[in-house]
Amino acid sequence: MKTVILGFDSFDPAIFESMAEKNLLPNLQKMADAGGYSRLEVCSPPQTEVSWTCIATGADPGSHGIFDFVLREPNSYMPYVSILPTKKSAVGETFIPPYTTKTFFEEAADMGYPATALWWPAMFPARPELPVNTLPGLGTPDIRGQLGVGTLLTTEDETKKKTAVAALIPAGNNRFTSTLSGPAVAGKSGPQTLTLPVALDVINAQSARLQVGEVQLDLKLGQWSDIFEIKFKAGFLANVHAITRVLLTDLGAAKRVYFLPLQIHPLHSAFHYASSPGFAKSLWSKVGSYLTLGWPQDTTGLEDGCINDDQFITLCDLIFERRKQIFHHLLAGFKEGVLASIFDDLDRIQHMFHHNRREVAEAWYKKLDQFVGEVAARLGAKTRFIVMSDHGFSTFQFKVHLNRWLAEQGWLALKDGKTEGDLSHVDWSQTKAYALGLNSLYLNVAGREGQGMVNASELESLLGEVQKRLLEWKGPDGRNVVSAARLKHEVYNGPYARLGPDLVVGYAAGYRASAETGLGKIPAAAIEENHDHWGADHCVDKDLVPGVLFANRDLRDFGGISFRDIPFLAIGKHLDQSHIKPPSQVGPQGQKDLEERLKGLGYL
Amino acid sequence: MLNLFSKKTSAPKQPIVIVSGLPRSGTSMMMKMLAEGGLQILTDAIRSADDDNPNGYFEFERVKQMTSGDRDWLDEAGGKVVKVISALLEHLPSDRSYKVIFMEREIQEVLASQKKMLDHRGEQNKVKDEEIAAQYRAHLAAVKPWLARQAHMEVLYVDYNKMMAEPGPLCRRLIEFLDRPLNEEKMLAVPNARLYRNRA
């Protein structure tokens, strides 16, 4: 077995089909012309971390437990990030694997083959006990143990929505000084944030010299630095290592320097970053340094105005180029097994430009097509080659504050006279339903939720009523807000299904849950126009955003192909066979007539 | 389930060659071609040649008994060819590997041929042609996706009508699929326009 997989996060079938018609994507079109193209049915909800996990396991979230980006602890209603769970132990709080369901990578290893998964979501922390080489993708934290925001050093008195801001203080002779905050460590009087001194020496209007701790960098205005390493001293002989890039964004009257989130150094990580550590080290030394954050394309920096469109696109390019180099390096030594790699820059590009600069997104489709051509040219005839995406993309004109809508329907109440707030302000004794996560709606079930008040006898009718009203809900443009509201038992199977949301909300085109809904907040209005840079998304009804599947084999006999088929296509084995029914069970209504006919002919 | 890709399987057994499809879709012709090519046919000759199949049926009666659990005969079938109509494919056990040659033919031709055969057998044609045609189409629409997902089955679809019109390329594709040294010349002599009587 020899299988190469390229995963293109958010590669949209409608855009592919439209561009292919104009012959703009010749390499993928070649695969399609040979019968090796299909739209891919994706899981519900079509969120990145959920979808790639469904693909890796060939099973729906009921089998692996990742239902949404944000989940809740039912007793306390406390939200947590599904792909970065932690556990308290004798040595403190540690990260634990988001799921342990068997993937096709593990299955390939069990079959005796080497398996490698690059930048696959929800694979942090690495599981050293598994014989699979990994560099983790989405869900890998920064050195603070969070999903990561950058730091802006500025001479101006300014604040940003999410980005950390620190003052650049004039120190004379064109020198400005500041402090870069790093991770927090346990101190005598509680957690203590480690810092490094920063000095910026302005050389001229186009360049400056930056000193960060012991590191000195010569920077040019508007150009990303190389990846560099810094060390925070955490005690005697104890250092916390980090990597980052920095960008000099302003050398006019105002001076601004922007740091990407401080990221895990793969060679000096306190966490199980990769599997094996030797694998990560080998790539670092043989190919070069690479960013490690799960979301290294800094959309937050762009949304907060710390970097501009071109600087963001350049960053995506740098990430893509280095990842391609790593992939090609591994491909050169690839003899057998599975080599899979996810490239997620297109997803970030589309979030930012799908709606307003389509040419930027389309340029990325061409870039990926060219990459497919490069890889295909290096593969032998007997190598299975699969290119796929986890979902497509859609517009996002309206933000939906689902908890406000639930309040308007009389199913959610706030306490203490509050009119806005979050789940901590909810009067649970008067609340029957609440939303948390980007597609999840829960009933406040007695005996399950900490202060549940919906009894078993009421569950079914309430679910039916919520479902009905969701599907009737019209937005300000007169169109439906929700195009599908799926009941848990309709979409999920497996040991974790009971932990999933009671309703999976599939937003209609143009609508998506607000970030506030994701965190369980209850703002003033139920629907708000979206004017953010983040103007397109995929966390909608799964049927609106199918993925793509290309293969160097004929896919036409499969009928509809779903995420459940990927393990079979990758390693020749199904991990979950629940979707495969014998023909006699799905065949024609007149099966009896057929049997009689075959008996009459003497064949049965 | 036997997995064709696993390194951990013991010495590989020869796959069983299955000729399949709807009844009267050219399965007997394909059996004859493979026999002429040099493959060993698993047949009991219980059903002998007649007007409907002048070259014989090449059937093995115990295939029909798979539905009631008789599968021991498969132990001796490695490397041999056996005819299994499409409706019985799902009863082939998954602990063996198969190369399936699936015959496809215009449904109207299949029905015309079946009608004659029913007449010869004195059976009544109880269901209207258009109804049974729709059922056959639905049956094939269920069989193909199922076949595509079987790890222990490799499938080659052979168009009967094309085979009758221009057998050369399909015959070479067939030999390539079976990966066995077969007598192409003798195989090519089998598709016989004289026996292609039920045209749509």
Side-chain angles (χ1 to χ4, degrees):
Chain A
M1 179 176 71
K2 191 175 180 188
T3 303
V4 169
I5 300 172
L6 298 179
F8 293 158
D9 201 303
S10 293
F11 197 100
D12 184 77
I15 296 179
F16 162 70
E17 288 156 17
S18 145
M19 291 182 72
E21 248 182 35
K22 297 170 195 155
N23 205 21
L24 295 171
L25 304 172
N27 295 299
L28 288 165
Q29 182 60 46
K30 194 173 161 190
M31 295 175 85
D33 288 344
Y37 168 64
S38 170
R39 288 188 172 207
L40 181 69
E41 182 191 340
V42 298
C43 67
S44 189
Q47 297 183 22
T48 298
E49 71 292 349
V50 183
S51 195
W52 284 119
T53 305
C54 290
I55 287 169
T57 58
D60 67 59
S63 291
H64 54 70
I66 300 181
F67 296 96
D68 199 305
F69 187 61
V70 180
L71 302 177
R72 96 297 188 212
E73 198 288 299
N75 193 46
S76 63
Y77 306 90
M78 282 293 288
Y80 65 92
V81 179
S82 64
I83 47 176
L84 206 50
T86 56
K87 185 181 171 184
K88 283 183 180 154
S89 67
V91 293
E93 200 163 13
T94 54
F95 292 113
I96 55 171
Y99 70 97
T100 54
T101 310
K102 196 171 198 179
T103 64
F104 68 75
F105 298 107
E106 292 166 57
E107 189 65 38
D110 277 358
M111 290 160 70
Y113 292 102
T116 299
L118 301 174
W119 305 296
W120 206 284
M123 287 200 174
F124 177 89
R127 295 168 62 194
E129 75 277 15
L130 298 181
V132 178
N133 287 324
T134 61
L135 290 186
L138 182 67
T140 309
D142 65 5
I143 55 161
R144 299 179 178 109
Q146 297 164 357
L147 294 179
V149 291
T151 304
L152 177 69
L153 308 186
T154 173
T155 53
E156 306 306 292
D157 182 14
E158 57 190 319
T159 55
K160 298 292 179 186
K161 201 171 170 187
K162 293 182 186 167
T163 305
V165 178
L168 262 180
I169 298 162
N173 291 331
N174 283 329
R175 167 167 275 219
F176 299 82
T177 59
S178 187
T179 303
L180 181 67
S181 294
V185 295
K188 285 177 186 167
S189 54
Q192 208 176 11
T193 299
L194 304 179
T195 59
L196 281 178
V198 177
L200 179 74
D201 290 302
V202 178
I203 297 168
N204 54 40
Q206 294 297 317
S207 59
R209 178 163 292 165
L210 186 74
Q211 181 91 28
V212 189
E214 296 170 358
V215 178
Q216 194 172 75
L217 301 161
D218 287 325
L219 302 177
K220 288 194 173 153
L221 184 66
Q223 288 185 16
W224 287 103
S225 73
D226 288 337
I227 295 170
F228 62 97
E229 309 175 23
I230 48 180
K231 275 189 293 189
F232 292 91
K233 198 160 180 56
F236 182 64
L237 292 178
N239 292 311
V240 178
H241 296 253
I243 56 169
T244 188
R245 283 181 189 274
V246 68
L247 181 71
L248 197 55
T249 60
D250 210 336
L251 279 182
K255 311 286 182 282
R256 290 188 180 90
V257 183
Y258 180 68
F259 283 76
L260 285 183
L262 304 180
Q263 308 183 22
I264 291 172
H265 193 312
L267 276 51
H268 303 281
S269 175
F271 314 116
H272 285 301
Y273 165 70
S275 179
S276 66
F279 176 65
K281 187 175 178 181
S282 159
L283 296 175
W284 185 273
S285 60
K286 289 181 179 160
V287 184
S289 56
Y290 48 88
L291 295 175
T292 57
L293 191 67
W295 190 288
Q297 306 86 351
D298 193 11
T299 47
T300 304
L302 177 58
E303 284 188 288
D304 267 352
C306 299
I307 59 176
N308 64 30
D309 284 3
D310 289 344
Q311 290 157 353
F312 172 76
I313 293 167
T314 302
L315 176 63
C316 291
D317 262 323
L318 289 167
I319 293 165
F320 182 53
E321 288 304 317
R322 178 48 47 93
R323 288 184 173 185
K324 276 201 309 180
Q325 287 165 1
I326 289 174
F327 180 81
H328 277 304
H329 169 77
L330 291 172
L331 187 60
F334 181 53
K335 301 282 185 286
E336 61 174 3
V338 184
L339 173 60
S341 182
I342 289 179
F343 295 86
D344 48 16
D345 312 276
L346 176 66
D347 175 76
R348 297 12 165 194
I349 288 282
Q350 290 189 120
H351 279 304
M352 297 294 116
F353 304 115
H354 176 277
H355 54 298
N356 56 7
R357 292 182 64 188
R358 182 61 79 91
E359 77 285 357
V360 176
E362 290 192 353
W364 219 276
Y365 279 82
K366 289 182 192 169
K367 203 177 289 219
L368 292 173
D369 179 75
Q370 191 182 338
F371 180 42
V372 167
E374 288 166 16
V375 173
R378 296 183 62 184
L379 303 180
K382 289 193 172 170
T383 305
R384 290 167 170 235
F385 184 33
I386 294 170
V387 181
M388 65 182 160
S389 67
D390 53 339
H391 46 66
F393 235 73
S394 183
T395 53
F396 176 18
Q397 286 118 21
F398 296 100
K399 302 177 189 179
V400 180
H401 300 301
L402 189 53
N403 279 322
R404 170 55 55 193
W405 179 82
L406 288 169
E408 288 172 359
Q409 303 300 309
W411 287 319
L412 183 146
L414 291 166
K415 63 185 177 186
D416 303 331
K418 289 265 184 194
T419 54
E420 297 179 37
D422 57 34
L423 293 183
S424 69
H425 304 113
V426 167
D427 179 353
W428 294 109
S429 68
Q430 300 298 315
T431 291
K432 290 187 171 183
Y434 62 102
L436 184 73
L438 293 175
N439 298 91
S440 300
L441 190 151
Y442 301 89
L443 298 190
N444 188 26
V445 178
R448 184 184 74 181
E449 264 74 5
Q451 299 172 63
M453 55 86 74
V454 177
N455 292 312
S457 59
E458 194 191 351
L459 270 177
E460 204 169 320
S461 61
L462 179 58
L463 271 175
E465 186 59 24
V466 176
Q467 189 181 34
K468 178 173 163 282
R469 286 201 227 168
L470 276 171
L471 294 172
E472 289 169 352
W473 186 11
K474 302 285 182 196
D477 58 355
R479 295 184 299 159
N480 284 355
V481 174
V482 172
S483 59
R486 296 180 170 88
L487 297 170
K488 173 163 57 184
H489 68 264
E490 290 175 346
V491 283
Y492 298 145
N493 294 288
Y496 299 96
R498 67 187 173 81
L499 303 175
D502 298 303
L503 272 176
V504 184
V505 182
Y507 293 97
Y511 292 84
R512 200 210 79 172
S514 63
E516 290 87 342
T517 297
L519 297 171
K521 292 185 178 174
I522 309 121
I527 292 181
E528 181 188 344
E529 280 191 29
N530 180 22
H531 300 296
D532 296 347
H533 207 315
W534 189 294
D537 207 278
H538 48 79
C539 301
V540 295
D541 177 7
K542 76 174 178 71
D543 292 340
L544 300 178
V545 285
V548 295
L549 176 68
F550 299 88
N552 59 349
R553 62 170 288 177
D554 199 328
L555 298 172
R556 287 171 292 196
D557 291 324
F558 276 81
I561 304 185
S562 82
F563 60 92
R564 294 181 198 279
D565 289 311
I566 300 301
F568 174 65
L569 289 165
I571 64 166
K573 193 167 183 178
H574 298 280
L575 301 186
D576 170 11
Q577 305 213 34
S578 62
H579 66 302
I580 307 170
K581 297 276 186 290
S584 59
Q585 287 184 28
V586 291
Q589 290 282 331
Q591 187 74 26
K592 204 175 161 198
D593 291 337
L594 272 188
E595 282 179 19
E596 275 190 24
R597 165 65 65 104
L598 296 175
K599 279 179 188 162
L601 291 165
Y603 287 93
L604 281 184
Chain B
M1 181 199 294
L2 175 74
N3 193 288
L4 297 173
F5 304 92
S6 179
K7 272 188 162 183
K8 290 184 177 172
T9 48
S10 52
K13 289 181 185 170
Q14 283 230 349
I16 301 165
V17 179
I18 303 289
V19 173
S20 190
L22 295 175
R24 313 303 294 166
S25 61
T27 49
S28 299
M29 182 198 72
M30 179 52 68
M31 293 294 284
K32 172 82 171 158
M33 278 182 80
L34 297 175
E36 290 296 320
L39 289 184
Q40 199 178 342
I41 304 296
L42 192 61
T43 177
D44 48 23
I46 288 176
R47 200 176 190 186
S48 53
D50 57 19
D51 282 351
D52 293 308
N53 263 344
N55 283 327
Y57 283 85
F58 300 96
E59 288 177 4
F60 188 60
E61 192 65 17
R62 289 177 72 182
V63 168
K64 299 176 194 171
Q65 309 308 320
M66 282 197 298
T67 52
S68 49
D70 179 8
R71 294 167 189 169
D72 293 346
W73 55 271
L74 283 154
D75 292 341
E76 307 303 321
K80 297 176 189 168
V81 189
V82 60
K83 191 202 283 191
V84 178
I85 59 165
S86 55
L88 293 175
L89 282 173
E90 68 187 63
H91 298 288
L92 287 167
S94 59
D95 59 353
R96 293 167 173 81
S97 63
Y98 308 91
K99 283 186 182 259
V100 179
I101 299 162
F102 198 102
M103 299 303 296
E104 296 187 290
R105 187 179 181 183
E106 293 287 343
I107 291 281
Q108 293 309 324
E109 291 187 10
V110 168
L111 290 178
S113 181
Q114 288 186 358
K115 199 173 176 186
K116 276 189 186 171
M117 194 170 171
L118 286 171
D119 288 345
H120 292 155
R121 291 171 60 87
E123 298 278 347
Q124 282 187 324
N125 194 8
K126 295 173 189 167
V127 187
K128 287 181 185 169
D129 273 2
E130 54 269 33
E131 283 175 24
I132 202 83
Q135 288 171 19
Y136 275 142
R137 286 196 181 95
H139 166 71
L140 291 175
V143 169
K144 285 186 173 182
W146 179 82
L147 269 176
R149 289 173 172 82
Q150 300 309 303
H152 56 296
M153 292 180 175
E154 274 185 85
V155 188
L156 177 71
Y157 289 94
V158 175
D159 187 314
Y160 173 83
N161 305 83
K162 280 187 188 162
M163 182 64 95
M164 297 308 293
E166 194 185 357
L170 283 179
C171 191
R172 283 190 287 281
R173 177 75 191 92
L174 186 60
I175 293 170
E176 188 186 317
F177 172 71
L178 292 170
D179 197 19
R180 303 270 283 274
L182 299 181
N183 188 326
E184 185 180 344
E185 195 179 337
K186 282 188 167 182
M187 290 171 78
L188 284 171
V190 175
N192 186 338
R194 204 163 46 80
L195 297 178
Y196 185 17
R197 295 163 295 189
N198 297 296
R199 296 169 194 254

